[in-house]
Amino acid sequence: MTYETLEVRVEGPVGWLVFNRPEAGNAVDARMFVELEAAWAELENDHQVRAIVNTGNGHSFQTGLDVRQLANDPEALRASSRQTRDFALRMTSWHCGVTKPVIAAVNGTCAGGGLHFVADADIVIAADDATFLDPHVSVGQVSAFETIGLLKKVPMESVTRMALMGAHERLDAERARQLGLVSEVVGAGELRDRAQTLALRLAEHDPERLRAVKQALWSALESP
Amino acid sequence: MSYEHLIVERHGPVGWLINDRPEVRNAMNSAMRDEFAEAWTELDNDPAVRVIVHTGNGRDFQTGVDVGEVASDGVGMERYRQSMEDFDVHFTSWHQGVWKPVITAVNGICCGGGFHWVADSDLVIAASDAQFFDPHTSVGQVVAIEAIGLMKKMPVEAVMRMAFMGRHERMGAERAYELGMISEIVDPPERLRERAQELGETVARNSPAAMAATKKALWGALETGLTDACKQGARHLVSMWGHPDQAEGPLAFAERRDPDWQPL
């Protein structure tokens, strides 16, 4: 598949899925909505790929659905509405059933729906200028999936605070590290190198073992 | 309604619920327990109130049940025991189904049953001299409900340690912040209420209906596993579709003005 909104490439055993709408904060438009599912499938099915890094081009990691663009594309809007209503989204590695380890490397702003990709990754690292916020309630929207995913993984008060403060407060990278939302903060210029290094380490492990561990641990989140 | 053991106030869009038995470090007697049920409901039903702040008068936030009073008034202990056995309790916002955002502002000591309000609120901030401990096991009592609530929200070891160390160890505000039990330390401590009001006013700028649905989705997620929680979350998310706030939010943003939200 030829991608317009993503960069998908393979560097050694590491697959890269890079959001590539920097002019729009990497927001998910109708095209990216479709391309994400294809990209995860491509990397999952590529036998050379043993670990996947997910990051963004430009100043933002990911800023959620591009509501304005979707509003101009009734068919895409209907599809995304249906997937939302039925919780049948196909945006993240978790939605798409990816069994390989996924590292999110958060550059710059991660807002709203961008938190999906943090909640659904196995390992999360961030640039020191990364910030996290959830503006949904400030524009009359409900925050559900991405914050539910986060509250299963980090102290809940930080999640309810982020959800209820909306656009009016950001969590910085260092606090995200303290809370365990991310495990490592590096200089912005070193983020991709560090992600590649981590991914290469993961790639040394037996893929079948990693798959089994990933499945076991994510299954544990399915109990109350 | 007038209260004997609580103070209920309104400052702009922020409703205040203040524990007011400072002479017994805000321990909860039977009458105060009834008043909590009343006060949460009163603030929840007031459309002018968009956010609720809960704190304590005097040196301390709250120190659990007033065991002296409950044990000696002839009916308190039996009534208390029965309500706990049935888990038929009504003294926190979670017990009362309050879907407005609740901010707990911990002043001084929060111990034992005081953790109910830390566990059951959405934002928790504390004065820099706040101290947390759970003396139940040191006086031959079992701690369950409030510690279970905390365990669902923060690292479990810290909760178990407090439960087992009893009154022999206290956690300071700094450690509570590191653990994510609270999200902010207010220093100097005298600024606690001012900061809580500020936070309340900030949260009050968001859509009341969207926040209520978000709270339902997030608190509901504690009751179930990840996928089921997301499926239930979808219902709360969809419940806002077609609500006037969903048009008003983007419109106000485009027009660079504060949104005019529908009251809950």
Side-chain angles (χ1 to χ4, degrees), chain B residues 114-126:
Chain B
F115 281 110
H116 277 287
W117 292 279
V118 171
D120 290 1
S121 64
D122 305 300
L123 277 75
V124 189
I125 65 173

Side-chain angles (χ1 to χ4, degrees), chain B residues 94-112:
Chain B
W94 178 62
H95 301 153
Q96 291 301 76
V98 172
W99 298 116
K100 293 176 181 174
V102 175
I103 300 171
T104 300
V106 179
N107 55 303
I109 289 173
C110 170
C111 73

Side-chain angles (χ1 to χ4, degrees), chain A:
Chain A
M1 175 161 187
T2 314
Y3 299 95
E4 291 173 14
T5 65
L6 303 174
E7 283 176 16
V8 179
R9 60 175 182 273
V10 177
E11 295 177 20
V14 182
W16 281 74
L17 192 163
V18 184
F19 304 123
N20 190 30
R21 293 187 71 219
E23 72 287 357
N26 290 322
V28 179
D29 65 353
R31 176 80 192 178
M32 195 190 290
F33 208 70
V34 175
E35 290 188 355
L36 280 168
E37 182 174 7
W40 289 117
E42 180 178 331
L43 295 170
E44 172 74 2
N45 294 328
D46 184 336
H47 296 297
Q48 190 191 329
V49 172
R50 292 188 163 204
I52 302 169
V53 175
N54 177 205
T55 191
N57 280 340
H59 294 301
S60 297
F61 171 66
Q62 169 54 252
T63 55
L65 284 188
D66 187 337
V67 183
R68 194 173 309 181
Q69 194 277 341
L70 279 175
N72 295 328
D73 187 339
E75 197 181 328
L77 185 63
R78 266 197 302 279
S80 76
S81 298
R82 193 171 55 242
Q83 289 187 14
T84 300
R85 187 194 64 208
D86 300 339
F87 186 56
L89 294 168
R90 307 291 290 170
M91 286 167 52
T92 72
S93 54
W94 180 60
H95 300 150
C96 295
V98 171
T99 63
K100 295 173 181 177
V102 174
I103 299 172
V106 181
N107 57 299
T109 303
C110 175
L115 295 165
H116 275 291
F117 299 90
V118 171
D120 293 359
D122 303 302
I123 293 175
V124 188
I125 66 173
D128 52 13
D129 64 352
T131 57
F132 303 84
L133 72 156
D134 186 358
H136 280 101
V137 296
S138 299
V139 289
Q141 300 278 340
V142 177
S143 175
F145 306 134
E146 46 288 57
T147 38
I148 287 171
L150 288 179
L151 78 79
K152 294 284 179 187
K153 300 175 74 177
V154 305
M156 179 175 174
E157 195 269 356
S158 62
V159 181
T160 40
R161 178 166 176 142
M162 196 190 298
L164 295 173
M165 291 296 278
H168 308 299
E169 185 172 86
R170 289 173 183 237
L171 196 70
D172 65 25
E174 179 52 26
R175 182 60 179 154
R177 190 194 62 77
Q178 289 173 349
L179 289 165
L181 184 72
V182 311
S183 51
E184 215 175 305
V185 176
V186 299
E190 299 147 40
L191 183 67
R192 292 196 179 190
D193 282 350
R194 183 59 186 154
Q196 176 75 13
T197 302
L198 284 174
L200 286 172
R201 295 250 173 86
L202 299 182
E204 290 170 13
H205 295 137
D206 175 359
E208 284 310 314
R209 296 280 162 80
L210 288 181
R211 206 185 306 271
V213 170
K214 177 159 175 157
Q215 192 188 5
L217 297 188
W218 280 88
S219 298
L221 292 183
E222 298 297 342
S223 306

Side-chain angles (χ1 to χ4, degrees), chain B residues 121-174:
Chain B
S121 64
D122 305 300
L123 277 75
V124 189
I125 65 173
S128 53
D129 62 355
Q131 293 188 322
F132 301 89
F133 62 102
D134 190 342
H136 280 97
T137 54
S138 299
V139 290
Q141 302 275 335
V142 173
V143 54
I145 297 168
E146 55 273 51
I148 291 168
L150 287 179
M151 277 171 68
K152 291 280 190 178
K153 298 178 71 181
M154 60 179 279
V156 170
E157 193 268 356
V159 181
M160 293 297 296
R161 179 166 174 142
M162 271 199 291
F164 284 171
M165 291 300 280
R167 64 180 172 81
H168 307 297
E169 186 174 85
R170 293 179 179 197
M171 181 196 287
E174 182 63 33

